[in-house]
Amino acid sequence: MNSLSTGLPVPVVFLQGIGGAARLWDPQVADFKSAGYEPIALDLPGYGARPPVDHMTFDMLAADVEAAIDARKLDRPVIVGHSLGGMIAQTCLRRRPDGYRAAVLSGTSPAFGNPSGDFQKKFVSDRLAPLDAGGTMADMAPAVAKQLMGPNADPENRALLVEVMSAISSRTYRAAVQCLVGFDERGNLGNIQVPVLCLVGALDNNAPPAVMERMASKIPAARYVCLPGLGHMPNLESPQVYDAAIVDFLRAALPRAAA
């Protein structure tokens, strides 16, 4: 059944980042419903109420997303992936190239590099050092949130990020960090045929705008948008600005979708 032809709301599946959970998409739900879409935020394995995991791969994570889409009988949803979620979205686009109407790749990159490289080793060491020193996710969360978000972030959503990050199992977080460093979907960018929005905050140091602009140039049907004054968590920092950028893109990319 085609949502565009039947008038049913087009489903939009949201995929979280490494320090998130489905709850971090709460600010998007009302905006997307009012715009005529069906927002669905997923908890990845080990996140939210799901049991902790000690190992993950991108194909495993993509298969989990596919299972959730199949279980809900969603017809070619739009997929919105942020950071780690954007990497999963790219993996999904490779695995099911015709399975999605459009994609939003938010604050992400097409590759992380060689897991045995010096940069990658330092990344893992830096991210896990607080836990290795005996700290908890709750100990880490305030400083990480400060680093991720721009200076003018919505204070309530900053608190939400700290709360959600504090609740993540350290086992899951370790598994996600280790998974991240092996990511590489550069070889498939030129094969993506659905409309893609590459969306980034101008102050994002984790996924710098220049990286995302280059990525967009490699995807045949991609549009690049940079949001001024926002950091790595634009959906929380300024939800209305972030949501408007995606809705504008979807209305242009899917002209028969809900207006």
Side-chain angles (χ1 to χ4, degrees):
M1 185 181 295
N2 189 310
S3 300
L4 294 179
S5 61
T6 63
L8 296 173
V10 172
V12 180
V13 173
F14 292 92
L15 306 179
Q16 64 183 67
I18 195 170
R23 285 184 60 204
L24 289 191
W25 296 108
D26 284 356
Q28 278 58 64
V29 170
D31 280 350
F32 278 82
K33 282 185 177 178
S34 66
Y37 299 94
E38 180 189 2
I40 301 162
L42 301 179
D43 278 318
L44 298 176
Y47 288 87
R50 302 183 68 177
V53 297
D54 295 305
H55 175 73
M56 57 179 72
T57 69
F58 279 100
D59 277 294
M60 180 195 90
L61 294 169
D64 188 81
V65 172
E66 292 163 357
I69 289 171
D70 293 345
R72 291 167 172 80
K73 295 181 167 53
L74 303 181
D75 174 42
R76 295 184 64 234
V78 173
I79 190 167
V80 178
H82 172 68
S83 196
L84 174 74
M87 296 175 174
I88 298 168
Q90 292 175 66
T91 308
C92 289
L93 290 169
R94 169 175 54 80
R95 289 166 56 97
R96 291 186 178 181
D98 300 319
Y100 307 92
R101 301 176 197 277
V104 178
L105 305 178
S106 170
T108 191
S109 69
F112 202 91
N114 182 350
S116 61
D118 290 340
F119 170 81
Q120 289 75 19
K121 289 179 179 178
K122 185 176 186 305
F123 176 88
V124 171
S125 176
D126 289 348
R127 291 300 184 276
L128 299 183
L131 298 177
D132 291 339
T136 66
M137 291 299 298
D139 295 330
M140 289 173 50
V144 174
K146 183 177 180 180
Q147 183 269 326
L148 292 178
M149 303 182 91
N152 300 311
D154 180 291
E156 290 187 6
N157 287 340
R158 187 187 296 273
L160 175 63
L161 176 59
V162 171
E163 178 186 345
V164 168
M165 191 177 300
S166 296
I168 299 171
S169 162
S170 61
R171 291 166 52 193
T172 296
Y173 186 78
R174 286 178 180 276
V177 169
Q178 296 286 355
C179 173
L180 184 67
V181 299
F183 178 73
D184 191 344
E185 285 288 337
R186 288 174 293 187
N188 190 56
L189 294 180
N191 299 323
I192 298 173
Q193 296 301 316
V194 301
V196 173
L197 173 62
C198 291
L199 184 61
V200 66
L203 305 181
D204 191 336
N205 293 320
N206 285 44
V211 171
M212 292 212 65
E213 189 170 18
R214 284 197 300 272
M215 178 168 67
S217 73
K218 304 293 185 183
I219 301 173
R223 174 181 176 186
Y224 169 74
V225 174
C226 184
L227 302 175
L230 302 182
H232 188 60
M233 305 297 297
N235 69 302
L236 296 177
E237 295 171 49
S238 184
Q240 290 184 326
V241 170
Y242 183 83
D243 298 351
I246 297 178
V247 170
D248 287 349
F249 160 72
L250 292 179
R251 284 175 172 163
L254 310 175
R256 291 178 294 147

